[in-house]
Amino acid sequence: MTEMIPGDHPVHEVTGLEEGTLSGRKALGLAVVVFSPVLTAATVGAFVMSVSGSSAWLSVLVGAVIMACVSVTIAPFASRFVVSGALYSYIGHALGPFPKLVSGASLAVGYVVGMMAALGALALYTGSLLSTTFGISAANELPGQIVIFAVALLGAAVLAYRGLDTSARLSIGLMAITAPVVALILLANLFSGDFDVKSQFSFDDFTFTGFAMGVVLTATFLVGIEASAATAAETADPKRTVPRVIIAVPLIVGGIGLIATILSVPALATDEVQSAMTAGESPIAALADHAGLSFLGGIADLALVLTCLAVLIGFMNYAPRVLATMAADGLLPSTLGKVSPRTHTPVTAIVAIAVLTFLFPTILAAVTGGSTLQIYTAVATLFPYMWVLPYILIAVGGTLFLARTKELTVGVIVSAAVGAAGFTWVYVNAIIHPQSGVANYMTWAAPISILIVLGGMVVFRRTRAGRKSSGSARRGAGFERAS
């Protein structure tokens, strides 16, 4: 049961989930794994530096601060409501049916894109590992990628079906194995002869457009932080645990990302590392070579494969619960809300998410002929744009919600303003200063996909309501004839 307050709006939730199976530590661990500090540490510096230059740390810092501010506006909902729809449910409680519907359209696409981004990263590093270490060049071609997609998604779906506890234990274990490898490589670069931390604070190559795009790329590693609320009903002491998780994740992952960026950018800027990455090495493997730890290159790629698998498993637990909640709310087919009586997991939604996540990048790669990196870049760019509208809505909704309950503070007002303004600026800036290539297409793919799904949800809901009305009318007519 959720607590109702004056002006609150009822939101349907998924029933049949097993309560209290996830401890507070495992809930935090699973959330941290999904927004992996290991993957962030290994890649965020190279990603952001490619557009922001030597001052990449500033983009990472601002992106982390914006996300932390958003989490402050979300946490009060988590301390009051135990939901399965995460942000979607919170927006319904705060703002009512229509904003909830709009956010549902955005998040329905967003979670599928998030799964695709996790899968793309896994395929990218798996293909690199198999081709460079084992000489299996076909791993980077479409048939090889299809096999990687299928095996990874099947494994993640089976683990998600078996239950949260199994997924959490495996995901946390994989992160514990991989973190020391990445940390060792980053720290080793401190002792390379050309490490120059001062160059990152000179701002010689700073451009506002590059800085803004760097914030977008940083957001790719952090958006969706509230997804852990989708497992609130299955978490021990959820009204205490979930708010802490929502606040902690952006601080942990954002802080590690900032430190990793400062540690890696000087080495990433060298001709040696740039040449290695151009030749196909992953950033972390190239950094291992630069630090004199060449023997760790293949191990680092394997570590990232395991890390991406952990991210995929974690996201496979969150995303289906949100879609199942939308089904319970009448926006998607009711079968997606079905929960297995044996494992207490949303089995149909898990299968649907896995199938969609497999089909979209496969078809996109087949039609466009794009490489693994190009497909991953496309979905990774689109991912944060899908959360712009929901985060603006929750910032507004959180302020109004706390004003109604007389709990509004200056800190929340400032956080809501920074979060909403930050994400508005990120998207508007992408329109005013378009990037070349795929990034510019994603700016427009976001609203188009939202409108298509929103239209589909409206038609589906009206058709469903019409069928129910017709059924009721037929039953009524039959009763009258019988009388």
Side-chain angles (χ1 to χ4, degrees):
M1 295 291 291
T2 57
E3 181 181 349
M4 301 291 287
I5 62 171
D8 192 19
H9 305 275
V11 178
H12 297 91
E13 301 294 339
V14 178
T15 57
L17 301 172
E18 191 169 8
E19 296 183 5
T21 59
L22 201 62
S23 68
R25 288 184 179 180
K26 287 181 180 177
L28 176 60
L30 184 62
V32 170
V33 165
V34 173
F35 302 96
S36 175
V38 178
L39 180 61
T40 301
T43 55
V44 69
F47 270 38
V48 178
M49 193 194 77
S50 67
V51 294
S52 299
S54 62
S55 57
W57 67 269
L58 184 60
S59 293
V60 175
L61 174 62
V62 171
V65 168
I66 291 174
M67 283 307 310
C69 287
V70 171
S71 72
V72 170
T73 66
I74 297 173
F77 292 95
S79 65
R80 184 182 292 270
F81 300 108
V82 178
V83 300
S84 55
L87 193 60
Y88 165 76
S89 297
Y90 295 152
I91 290 172
H93 282 294
L95 296 175
F98 183 70
K100 180 183 66 174
L101 173 63
V102 173
S103 69
S106 186
L107 292 169
V109 181
Y111 277 105
V112 175
V113 172
M115 285 292 299
M116 289 169 57
L119 183 65
L122 174 63
L124 179 67
Y125 285 110
T126 303
S128 173
L129 176 68
L130 293 176
S131 60
T132 59
T133 304
F134 298 100
I136 307 175
S137 58
N140 285 320
E141 298 173 1
L142 183 58
Q145 290 289 294
I146 289 175
V147 172
I148 294 171
F149 290 168
V151 172
L153 284 170
L154 179 61
V158 169
L159 286 167
Y161 169 72
R162 290 186 61 182
L164 275 175
D165 190 64
T166 301
S167 296
R169 281 189 283 111
L170 180 59
S171 298
I172 294 169
L174 290 174
M175 184 179 71
I177 293 170
T178 58
V181 178
V182 174
L184 177 60
I185 292 171
L186 292 176
L187 290 172
N189 276 277
L190 279 171
F191 303 99
S192 60
D194 49 12
F195 184 82
D196 180 16
V197 70
K198 293 181 181 178
S199 63
Q200 299 179 73
F201 300 91
S202 64
F203 300 102
D204 292 336
D205 57 352
F206 177 87
T207 65
F208 189 78
T209 301
F211 161 74
M213 191 59 195
V215 174
V216 173
L217 292 177
T218 301
T220 301
F221 295 90
L222 293 170
V223 291
I225 51 172
E226 75 296 330
S228 56
T231 60
E234 299 150 281
T235 302
D237 195 8
K239 291 185 180 182
R240 177 174 176 163
T241 300
V242 176
R244 291 180 174 182
V245 171
I246 289 173
I247 293 292
V249 170
L251 297 178
I252 294 171
V253 179
I256 290 175
L258 177 62
I259 294 170
T261 300
I262 294 173
L263 290 177
S264 61
V265 163
L268 288 166
T270 62
D271 293 337
E272 175 193 347
V273 174
Q274 287 293 315
S275 298
M277 289 193 297
T278 301
E281 278 195 76
S282 66
I284 196 67
L287 288 173
D289 292 341
H290 181 262
L293 302 174
S294 300
F295 66 96
L296 282 180
I299 297 174
D301 279 341
L302 176 60
L304 287 184
V305 169
L306 296 176
T307 295
C308 292
L309 179 60
V311 172
L312 189 69
I313 292 169
F315 220 72
M316 183 65 85
N317 281 277
Y318 290 153
R321 283 164 172 78
V322 177
L323 264 62
T325 304
M326 294 181 193
D329 231 9
L331 299 185
L332 295 173
S334 58
T335 186
L336 289 176
K338 181 181 178 181
V339 173
S340 167
R342 187 169 75 87
T343 62
H344 304 282
T345 53
V347 57
T348 310
I350 289 171
V351 173
I353 284 279
V355 171
L356 290 173
T357 304
F358 175 79
L359 289 177
F360 284 178
T362 300
I363 294 172
L364 189 60
V367 171
T368 65
S371 66
T372 306
L373 179 59
Q374 289 171 326
I375 300 302
Y376 171 65
T377 302
V379 296
T381 305
L382 178 60
F383 183 42
Y385 291 149
M386 303 310 302
W387 259 259
V388 170
L389 190 55
Y391 279 160
I392 292 173
L393 288 173
I394 199 63
V396 174
T399 303
L400 296 175
F401 178 85
L402 292 176
R404 291 203 305 265
T405 61
K406 302 186 183 338
E407 298 173 86
L408 187 61
T409 64
V410 174
V412 172
I413 293 173
V414 172
S415 295
V418 171
F423 270 90
T424 301
W425 163 71
V426 161
Y427 188 73
V428 171
N429 183 76
I431 297 174
I432 297 174
H433 301 102
Q435 299 292 306
S436 59
V438 68
N440 189 42
Y441 295 129
M442 295 305 103
T443 306
W444 302 107
I448 291 172
S449 61
I450 292 171
L451 288 173
I452 291 172
V453 174
L454 179 61
M457 285 180 166
V458 170
V459 170
F460 175 79
R461 190 168 66 175
R462 288 182 177 177
T463 303
R464 185 180 182 183
R467 287 198 300 266
K468 286 184 176 180
S469 298
S470 299
S472 298
R474 285 194 296 270
R475 287 193 296 272
F479 176 77
E480 289 177 2
R481 286 195 298 270
S483 300

mmCIF file of all heavy atoms in Angstrom, residues 349-372:
data_model
loop_
_atom_site.group_PDB
_atom_site.id
_atom_site.type_symbol
_atom_site.label_atom_id
_atom_site.label_comp_id
_atom_site.label_asym_id
_atom_site.label_seq_id
_atom_site.Cartn_x
_atom_site.Cartn_y
_atom_site.Cartn_z
ATOM 1 N N ALA A 349 7.484 -9.265 -19.343
ATOM 2 C CA ALA A 349 8.209 -8.021 -19.611
ATOM 3 C C ALA A 349 9.694 -8.293 -19.823
ATOM 4 O O ALA A 349 10.341 -7.650 -20.662
ATOM 5 C CB ALA A 349 8.010 -7.030 -18.471
ATOM 6 N N ILE A 350 10.251 -9.250 -19.094
ATOM 7 C CA ILE A 350 11.662 -9.609 -19.272
ATOM 8 C C ILE A 350 11.892 -10.137 -20.683
ATOM 9 O O ILE A 350 12.842 -9.736 -21.378
ATOM 10 C CB ILE A 350 12.089 -10.665 -18.231
ATOM 11 C CG1 ILE A 350 12.158 -10.032 -16.837
ATOM 12 C CG2 ILE A 350 13.444 -11.273 -18.588
ATOM 13 C CD1 ILE A 350 12.362 -11.030 -15.713
ATOM 14 N N VAL A 351 11.016 -11.033 -21.129
ATOM 15 C CA VAL A 351 11.142 -11.594 -22.480
ATOM 16 C C VAL A 351 10.977 -10.494 -23.531
ATOM 17 O O VAL A 351 11.752 -10.422 -24.504
ATOM 18 C CB VAL A 351 10.097 -12.708 -22.705
ATOM 19 C CG1 VAL A 351 10.099 -13.168 -24.165
ATOM 20 C CG2 VAL A 351 10.377 -13.884 -21.774
ATOM 21 N N ALA A 352 9.988 -9.615 -23.338
ATOM 22 C CA ALA A 352 9.744 -8.541 -24.310
ATOM 23 C C ALA A 352 10.935 -7.599 -24.414
ATOM 24 O O ALA A 352 11.353 -7.214 -25.521
ATOM 25 C CB ALA A 352 8.483 -7.759 -23.916
ATOM 26 N N ILE A 353 11.487 -7.213 -23.257
ATOM 27 C CA ILE A 353 12.659 -6.335 -23.254
ATOM 28 C C ILE A 353 13.830 -6.994 -23.964
ATOM 29 O O ILE A 353 14.549 -6.372 -24.756
ATOM 30 C CB ILE A 353 13.050 -5.978 -21.806
ATOM 31 C CG1 ILE A 353 12.097 -4.944 -21.227
ATOM 32 C CG2 ILE A 353 14.479 -5.457 -21.737
ATOM 33 C CD1 ILE A 353 12.376 -3.525 -21.626
ATOM 34 N N ALA A 354 14.059 -8.271 -23.692
ATOM 35 C CA ALA A 354 15.174 -8.989 -24.312
ATOM 36 C C ALA A 354 15.008 -9.042 -25.824
ATOM 37 O O ALA A 354 15.975 -8.827 -26.575
ATOM 38 C CB ALA A 354 15.277 -10.396 -23.735
ATOM 39 N N VAL A 355 13.798 -9.332 -26.289
ATOM 40 C CA VAL A 355 13.551 -9.424 -27.739
ATOM 41 C C VAL A 355 13.744 -8.067 -28.413
ATOM 42 O O VAL A 355 14.412 -7.965 -29.454
ATOM 43 C CB VAL A 355 12.128 -9.961 -28.007
ATOM 44 C CG1 VAL A 355 11.773 -9.848 -29.481
ATOM 45 C CG2 VAL A 355 12.016 -11.417 -27.556
ATOM 46 N N LEU A 356 13.170 -6.999 -27.835
ATOM 47 C CA LEU A 356 13.319 -5.661 -28.410
ATOM 48 C C LEU A 356 14.785 -5.223 -28.424
ATOM 49 O O LEU A 356 15.264 -4.636 -29.396
ATOM 50 C CB LEU A 356 12.481 -4.655 -27.621
ATOM 51 C CG LEU A 356 10.960 -4.768 -27.765
ATOM 52 C CD1 LEU A 356 10.257 -3.823 -26.803
ATOM 53 C CD2 LEU A 356 10.531 -4.470 -29.205
ATOM 54 N N THR A 357 15.488 -5.499 -27.337
ATOM 55 C CA THR A 357 16.896 -5.114 -27.239
ATOM 56 C C THR A 357 17.736 -5.857 -28.269
ATOM 57 O O THR A 357 18.736 -5.324 -28.763
ATOM 58 C CB THR A 357 17.433 -5.398 -25.825
ATOM 59 O OG1 THR A 357 16.612 -4.728 -24.868
ATOM 60 C CG2 THR A 357 18.862 -4.912 -25.672
ATOM 61 N N PHE A 358 17.350 -7.074 -28.596
ATOM 62 C CA PHE A 358 18.058 -7.840 -29.628
ATOM 63 C C PHE A 358 17.733 -7.326 -31.029
ATOM 64 O O PHE A 358 18.624 -7.139 -31.863
ATOM 65 C CB PHE A 358 17.688 -9.313 -29.524
ATOM 66 C CG PHE A 358 18.273 -10.164 -30.620
ATOM 67 C CD1 PHE A 358 19.597 -10.580 -30.577
ATOM 68 C CD2 PHE A 358 17.503 -10.524 -31.719
ATOM 69 C CE1 PHE A 358 20.142 -11.341 -31.600
ATOM 70 C CE2 PHE A 358 18.035 -11.297 -32.743
ATOM 71 C CZ PHE A 358 19.361 -11.704 -32.682
ATOM 72 N N LEU A 359 16.451 -7.070 -31.290
ATOM 73 C CA LEU A 359 16.029 -6.737 -32.648
ATOM 74 C C LEU A 359 16.505 -5.374 -33.115
ATOM 75 O O LEU A 359 17.005 -5.227 -34.242
ATOM 76 C CB LEU A 359 14.499 -6.816 -32.753
ATOM 77 C CG LEU A 359 13.879 -8.214 -32.711
ATOM 78 C CD1 LEU A 359 12.364 -8.116 -32.754
ATOM 79 C CD2 LEU A 359 14.386 -9.043 -33.894
ATOM 80 N N PHE A 360 16.351 -4.335 -32.291
ATOM 81 C CA PHE A 360 16.624 -2.974 -32.740
ATOM 82 C C PHE A 360 18.065 -2.772 -33.209
ATOM 83 O O PHE A 360 18.297 -2.302 -34.320
ATOM 84 C CB PHE A 360 16.256 -1.971 -31.651
ATOM 85 C CG PHE A 360 14.775 -1.727 -31.515
ATOM 86 C CD1 PHE A 360 14.280 -0.881 -30.543
ATOM 87 C CD2 PHE A 360 13.875 -2.349 -32.366
ATOM 88 C CE1 PHE A 360 12.917 -0.657 -30.411
ATOM 89 C CE2 PHE A 360 12.509 -2.130 -32.255
ATOM 90 C CZ PHE A 360 12.028 -1.295 -31.272
ATOM 91 N N PRO A 361 19.084 -3.088 -32.390
ATOM 92 C CA PRO A 361 20.452 -2.871 -32.881
ATOM 93 C C PRO A 361 20.822 -3.798 -34.032
ATOM 94 O O PRO A 361 21.612 -3.423 -34.903
ATOM 95 C CB PRO A 361 21.324 -3.152 -31.646
ATOM 96 C CG PRO A 361 20.486 -3.987 -30.753
ATOM 97 C CD PRO A 361 19.079 -3.563 -31.001
ATOM 98 N N THR A 362 20.243 -5.012 -34.058
ATOM 99 C CA THR A 362 20.520 -5.937 -35.164
ATOM 100 C C THR A 362 19.999 -5.370 -36.473
ATOM 101 O O THR A 362 20.706 -5.353 -37.489
ATOM 102 C CB THR A 362 19.876 -7.316 -34.889
ATOM 103 O OG1 THR A 362 20.407 -7.849 -33.679
ATOM 104 C CG2 THR A 362 20.155 -8.274 -36.031
ATOM 105 N N ILE A 363 18.742 -4.903 -36.457
ATOM 106 C CA ILE A 363 18.150 -4.321 -37.666
ATOM 107 C C ILE A 363 18.880 -3.048 -38.057
ATOM 108 O O ILE A 363 19.164 -2.809 -39.247
ATOM 109 C CB ILE A 363 16.653 -4.038 -37.437
ATOM 110 C CG1 ILE A 363 15.892 -5.356 -37.258
ATOM 111 C CG2 ILE A 363 16.069 -3.237 -38.595
ATOM 112 C CD1 ILE A 363 14.448 -5.190 -36.836
ATOM 113 N N LEU A 364 19.211 -2.221 -37.066
ATOM 114 C CA LEU A 364 19.920 -0.967 -37.345
ATOM 115 C C LEU A 364 21.273 -1.232 -37.997
ATOM 116 O O LEU A 364 21.640 -0.576 -38.975
ATOM 117 C CB LEU A 364 20.109 -0.183 -36.041
ATOM 118 C CG LEU A 364 20.633 1.249 -36.151
ATOM 119 C CD1 LEU A 364 19.693 2.111 -36.981
ATOM 120 C CD2 LEU A 364 20.819 1.853 -34.761
ATOM 121 N N ALA A 365 21.997 -2.220 -37.492
ATOM 122 C CA ALA A 365 23.294 -2.562 -38.060
ATOM 123 C C ALA A 365 23.147 -3.139 -39.464
ATOM 124 O O ALA A 365 23.934 -2.824 -40.375
ATOM 125 C CB ALA A 365 24.018 -3.553 -37.160
ATOM 126 N N ALA A 366 22.136 -3.971 -39.663
ATOM 127 C CA ALA A 366 21.931 -4.601 -40.967
ATOM 128 C C ALA A 366 21.516 -3.580 -42.028
ATOM 129 O O ALA A 366 21.976 -3.632 -43.175
ATOM 130 C CB ALA A 366 20.876 -5.705 -40.855
ATOM 131 N N VAL A 367 20.660 -2.628 -41.644
ATOM 132 C CA VAL A 367 20.150 -1.641 -42.600
ATOM 133 C C VAL A 367 21.191 -0.578 -42.925
ATOM 134 O O VAL A 367 21.383 -0.200 -44.079
ATOM 135 C CB VAL A 367 18.868 -0.984 -42.060
ATOM 136 C CG1 VAL A 367 18.446 0.192 -42.940
ATOM 137 C CG2 VAL A 367 17.745 -2.008 -41.982
ATOM 138 N N THR A 368 21.871 -0.085 -41.900
ATOM 139 C CA THR A 368 22.824 1.016 -42.101
ATOM 140 C C THR A 368 24.223 0.540 -42.442
ATOM 141 O O THR A 368 25.023 1.308 -42.979
ATOM 142 C CB THR A 368 22.902 1.896 -40.842
ATOM 143 O OG1 THR A 368 23.448 1.118 -39.758
ATOM 144 C CG2 THR A 368 21.524 2.423 -40.458
ATOM 145 N N GLY A 369 24.528 -0.707 -42.097
ATOM 146 C CA GLY A 369 25.896 -1.186 -42.294
ATOM 147 C C GLY A 369 26.873 -0.587 -41.305
ATOM 148 O O GLY A 369 28.087 -0.652 -41.498
ATOM 149 N N GLY A 370 26.346 -0.021 -40.233
ATOM 150 C CA GLY A 370 27.195 0.639 -39.243
ATOM 151 C C GLY A 370 28.012 -0.357 -38.449
ATOM 152 O O GLY A 370 27.614 -1.509 -38.242
ATOM 153 N N SER A 371 29.168 0.093 -37.977
ATOM 154 C CA SER A 371 30.029 -0.753 -37.159
ATOM 155 C C SER A 371 29.468 -0.853 -35.746
ATOM 156 O O SER A 371 28.547 -0.129 -35.360
ATOM 157 C CB SER A 371 31.440 -0.165 -37.102
ATOM 158 O OG SER A 371 31.436 1.077 -36.421
ATOM 159 N N THR A 372 30.053 -1.736 -34.967
ATOM 160 C CA THR A 372 29.649 -1.876 -33.565
ATOM 161 C C THR A 372 29.788 -0.559 -32.823
ATOM 162 O O THR A 372 28.902 -0.159 -32.057
ATOM 163 C CB THR A 372 30.513 -2.945 -32.876
ATOM 164 O OG1 THR A 372 30.454 -4.148 -33.628
ATOM 165 C CG2 THR A 372 30.016 -3.212 -31.469
#
